[in-house]
Amino acid sequence: MVKFVGIAGSLRPGSYSQRALELTGDRLRALGAEVELLDLREMNLPLCHGGDDYPGYPDVERLRRAFSDADGLVLVTPEYHGSVSGVLKNALDLMSFDQLGGKVAGLISILGGQANSNALNDLRTILRWVHAWVVPEQVAIGQAWQVFDDGGKLTDAKLSQRLDGLAQSLYDNTRKLRGLA
Amino acid sequence: MVKFVGIAGSLRPGSYSQRALELTGDRLRALGAEVELLDLREMNLPLCHGGDDYPGYPDVERLRRAFSDADGLVLVTPEYHGSVSGVLKNALDLMSFDQLGGKVAGLISILGGQANSNALNDLRTILRWVHAWVVPEQVAIGQAWQVFDDGGKLTDAKLSQRLDGLAQSLYDNTRKLRGLA
Amino acid sequence: MVKFVGIAGSLRPGSYSQRALELTGDRLRALGAEVELLDLREMNLPLCHGGDDYPGYPDVERLRRAFSDADGLVLVTPEYHGSVSGVLKNALDLMSFDQLGGKVAGLISILGGQANSNALNDLRTILRWVHAWVVPEQVAIGQAWQVFDDGGKLTDAKLSQRLDGLAQSLYDNTRKLRGLA
Amino acid sequence: MVKFVGIAGSLRPGSYSQRALELTGDRLRALGAEVELLDLREMNLPLCHGGDDYPGYPDVERLRRAFSDADGLVLVTPEYHGSVSGVLKNALDLMSFDQLGGKVAGLISILGGQANSNALNDLRTILRWVHAWVVPEQVAIGQAWQVFDDGGKLTDAKLSQRLDGLAQSLYDNTRKLRGLA
């Protein structure tokens, strides 16, 4: 069985990034995957100091173990200042090739304004750097405040289809690349 | 008088990023600038939650005020996973156009391995996003463990000259762009 | 008097890139600048072979001389495959630091679909590489087929204002950076 | 049988990009692949005008057919002005999703000076844009003038191993992703 782990790089209460993560997790589960979603708002992660050990922060180990165990990754970032949030980058900085290398990732970004691909492009390069794969499909959700309903579903059919496509590609190609197909 | 503020995105004790920041600060002061260097290792900054207010974290206000008061910026980042450190990005995420827009920045990256421009490229795009200027000169310091002596000076003459060039360009062009020349 | 040269990286008859270039040229002239716009569709430029000499192609020299004489640059590119057009990159490849270094550039991209910043980001990095400046203001014109009227003017007031802002910043800051203010 | 097509974006006689392409082609053939290498120096390709038809340029159709028939791609670019050569970008501009989508690519860059990843990063984003895959392994060959011997072989053992790794990953993962494994 193919396993995914997902995180969203926003600590905002009511975060749209977290909602998009949950929608993607639902789709992957519906396809037959095992999915673990971590909520960074409920974890106590330190700022990365470049070393390996973070005594007093058991959530670092929890993060690393979840990523180690996964075949594929779902990463959602709010686009802050035209790039990945520091929150998400810091979580990735706390990990290394050991947890990230060889994994297959699907990427989503959330923007308050018009959609753009800056954060997705940067995240794609970052993941390449740790020798992860990134599926070609990606979703940038612009003007996020108006595309989610109260239940956290996407009201925009086109975006919803793009999320379907991302989940399907991530599921299928993770299985192929990880030899689980 | 032209004023600069500088930060380095590494929390490592003995950080080369911090040394490079200090060397750049020295050069700017020698040219006649007023320079304030903040040490993120001695500040207590929270992870950005996307909002404006961080009660209980007076260092957020200290960071913002130092950047508000400056004409120019020196930003040094270790290259982690082929991009800006989460530590530096998070510090930038805690600020906005109010503190960063219209400023003139000089960029330096520090790498354990071979030099590369990934983090510098990403940082350049990020600063554009907040409508800051970035001088064309930039310095990537590869294999940083072997180019600093015990006193924190650069032992590589070519790198030292590049740092001179960066400081000179940053000083001259900040004065021009800020109408202080 | 401050001098600008502009090119657009589209060879399409009726090119929106060329129209955006002309609109920007008009604005710069209205501000008091001298402007020379080259039309790549009417020039005979070879594919760059990495050397300096292109016997039989006098337009290479014409291109280089126009850029040499300029203080500032206007570069417009259609976004092809999420980046700068080969046509524009090839024109830039035919030049070097001699023509491009120290110049101040304003960037515009044209897209058939939704606006995006990919080509602008890549172009910004390219210009840094030849030690040119790029003003923070930039304009991505999405769905270009519906924002120009028959006379080649922009029908979208917001885009038109952004183009005004780009031209103003380019004019003001080229003068500052080139010591003409 | 898995099929690859390769092109190099340099028109220079004695091009190192072309040599790197040939070395990669040899490795892929040794692994059991069918490989077609096109030499852009011997093809007559026009500058892309954004349309589909290029009467008088049969090599456009030859290029497109070779890419259509391939499962995987080898793309080599000299790094010009910190990015992909206009020659290579123009060749890609002459194609579309029809020829490029769903393919699996391996990327190599050639530099006269110190190695850097700018062109590779840009090329990765470009290929994503046409929904191609890019393997995580990539090779930037710096100071190319001193790492090839007279027979066109790499004299640097580490680079040679990296090229082996790229070819192996490209071969294995193209088979997996294309359902040929």
Side-chain angles (χ1 to χ4, degrees), chain A residues 33-45:
Chain A
E34 185 181 331
V35 179
E36 178 178 10
L37 303 183
L38 301 175
D39 188 335
L40 295 184
R41 296 171 298 186
E42 297 171 1
M43 295 174 77
N44 184 25
L45 292 175

Side-chain angles (χ1 to χ4, degrees), chain C residues 39-120:
Chain C
D39 188 336
L40 296 184
R41 297 171 299 186
E42 297 171 2
M43 296 175 76
N44 184 24
L45 292 175
L47 284 162
C48 173
H49 57 45
D52 283 337
D53 300 324
Y54 292 85
Y57 290 96
D59 279 345
V60 173
E61 193 45 42
R62 191 178 149 218
L63 178 78
R64 289 174 178 168
R65 201 163 36 226
F67 274 71
S68 278
D69 290 349
D71 298 297
L73 318 176
V74 182
L75 301 179
V76 188
T77 186
E79 186 165 310
Y80 287 166
H81 298 346
S83 188
V84 178
S85 72
V87 167
L88 184 63
K89 183 55 168 53
N90 185 64
L92 295 173
D93 288 349
L94 291 169
M95 296 186 279
S96 70
F97 285 75
D98 294 341
Q99 291 85 35
L100 301 167
K103 303 303 165 73
V104 186
L107 308 182
I108 298 166
S109 71
I110 304 288
L111 301 96
Q114 207 181 356
N116 214 319
S117 307
N118 297 286
L120 296 172

Side-chain angles (χ1 to χ4, degrees), chain A residues 114, chain B residues 128 131, chain C residues 27 120 136-141 154 156-168:
Chain A
Q114 208 182 355
Chain B
R128 205 268 358 147
H131 281 219
Chain C
R27 281 159 166 79
L120 296 172
E137 291 79 7
Q138 64 187 22
V139 185
I141 301 178
L154 281 169
D156 181 309
K158 213 167 161 184
L159 273 176
S160 189
Q161 282 170 13
R162 283 179 65 89
L163 212 57
D164 290 341
L166 172 64
Q168 188 73 55

Side-chain angles (χ1 to χ4, degrees), chain B residues 16 110-115 140-148 159, chain D residues 114:
Chain B
Y16 299 119
I110 303 289
L111 302 96
Q114 208 181 355
I141 300 179
Q143 301 182 303
W145 51 276
Q146 65 177 7
V147 298
F148 288 96
L159 273 176
Chain D
Q114 207 182 356

Side-chain angles (χ1 to χ4, degrees), chain A residues 52-100:
Chain A
D52 283 337
D53 299 324
Y54 292 86
Y57 289 97
D59 279 344
V60 173
E61 193 46 43
R62 191 179 149 218
L63 179 77
R64 289 174 178 168
R65 201 162 37 225
F67 275 70
S68 277
D69 289 349
D71 299 295
L73 318 176
V74 181
L75 300 178
V76 188
T77 186
E79 186 166 310
Y80 287 166
H81 298 345
S83 187
V84 178
S85 71
V87 167
L88 183 63
K89 184 56 168 54
N90 184 65
L92 295 173
D93 289 348
L94 291 168
M95 295 185 280
S96 70
F97 285 75
D98 293 341
Q99 291 85 35
L100 302 166

Side-chain angles (χ1 to χ4, degrees), chain B residues 117 121 124-125 128-129 131-136 138 173 176-177, chain C residues 117 121 124-125 128-129 131-136 138 173 176-177:
Chain B
S117 307
N121 292 346
R124 187 170 291 270
T125 307
R128 205 268 358 147
W129 223 252
H131 281 219
W133 291 83
V134 187
V135 301
Q138 63 187 24
N173 290 301
K176 287 184 187 174
L177 286 166
Chain C
S117 307
N121 291 346
R124 188 170 290 270
T125 308
R128 205 259 9 137
W129 223 252
H131 282 219
W133 291 83
V134 186
V135 301
Q138 64 187 22
N173 291 300
K176 287 184 187 174
L177 286 167

